[in-house]
Amino acid sequence: FGSSLASSNHPPVFVAMGCIASKPAVAAPAVPFDPTAQPIPVTQEGKNLLAEAKPEEAKPTTSLKIQIASAHGLRSADLIGNKSDVYVEVEIEGKSDSKVTTAVVTGTASKKEGAGENDKDSIDVDLQFVGELKGYVAGDKILFTVRDKDFLKSDDSLGKATVTEGGFGGKLVLEGAGEGFQAHLMVQLGDG
């Protein structure tokens, strides 16, 4: 039987076997084999990524000291009393377990000295917070979110900011503080 097939002019036939419960096979598209074809390198911007592939080195993590002295120019978010119960959340972007939160400090909105007639009443609070962000890696983005603590509904956002330098210190302007408000935090990151 085997010798008659080998000596015939018919090409060998191969049969795939399986059980009845098997899923039907899906045929792959026919691609002619070219024994002279060269492998195609995986490239990006002219660099062969396969040739240059190296295991990624782990960046060292540290704790980053953070100080928040005060918040200024905040809007009043409470309906009663023209005030806000202010606190700040700080975390490393993508690392929610790094989050630290200041204590809540109540501030009442008032007209600032030297403010113009059309300037809105705003809130300034001393926070005097010192803490550290664990798992910091140089280049991480540090997110600051200033909130008003509410007990009957979700907390209101009073502004946000992002810092990308671990040695930042000074006035950190808040985005989304509310129309007509120029809010900021006074912060120090690192030992500076």
Side-chain angles (χ1 to χ4, degrees):
F1 174 76
S3 62
S4 65
L5 282 178
S7 62
S8 75
N9 292 331
H10 298 289
V13 176
F14 298 95
V15 178
M17 297 177 63
C19 69
I20 292 175
S22 297
K23 294 182 181 179
V26 177
V31 177
F33 176 72
D34 181 0
T36 62
Q38 296 295 316
I40 300 170
V42 179
T43 62
Q44 180 180 15
E45 299 176 6
K47 294 181 182 179
N48 183 335
L49 299 178
L50 294 178
E52 297 177 13
K54 297 176 185 170
E56 189 171 319
E57 294 180 22
K59 295 180 181 177
T61 61
T62 62
S63 291
L64 180 65
K65 184 178 179 182
I66 178 168
Q67 300 174 66
I68 306 173
S70 54
H72 302 273
L74 302 172
R75 68 182 174 84
S76 170
D78 291 347
L79 296 174
I80 300 172
N82 202 24
K83 65 182 184 68
S84 284
D85 302 306
V86 179
Y87 68 97
V88 181
E89 294 176 332
V90 186
E91 69 181 290
I92 300 168
E93 183 178 61
K95 300 177 184 179
S96 59
D97 58 333
S98 68
K99 185 185 293 185
V100 295
T101 305
T102 68
V104 175
V105 177
T106 301
T108 303
S110 63
K111 187 73 77 182
K112 301 302 171 228
E113 189 176 316
E117 190 175 307
N118 294 331
D119 289 343
K120 297 182 178 186
D121 292 357
S122 63
I123 297 171
D124 295 340
V125 293
D126 286 329
L127 296 163
Q128 301 306 317
F129 175 80
V130 177
E132 63 180 39
L133 294 173
K134 297 192 184 295
Y136 174 76
V137 175
D140 278 346
K141 289 183 180 180
I142 316 262
L143 310 176
F144 291 80
T145 305
V146 182
R147 297 189 185 277
D148 168 55
K149 183 73 175 168
D150 287 316
F151 297 99
L152 300 177
K153 62 182 185 95
S154 61
D155 295 354
D156 299 307
S157 175
L158 300 176
K160 297 180 178 189
T162 302
V163 175
T164 56
E165 304 169 33
F168 177 84
K171 183 178 179 178
L172 183 58
V173 176
L174 300 173
E175 294 179 8
E179 189 175 330
F181 289 91
Q182 308 285 317
H184 67 274
L185 293 173
M186 294 304 295
V187 303
Q188 177 66 51
L189 298 177
D191 292 324

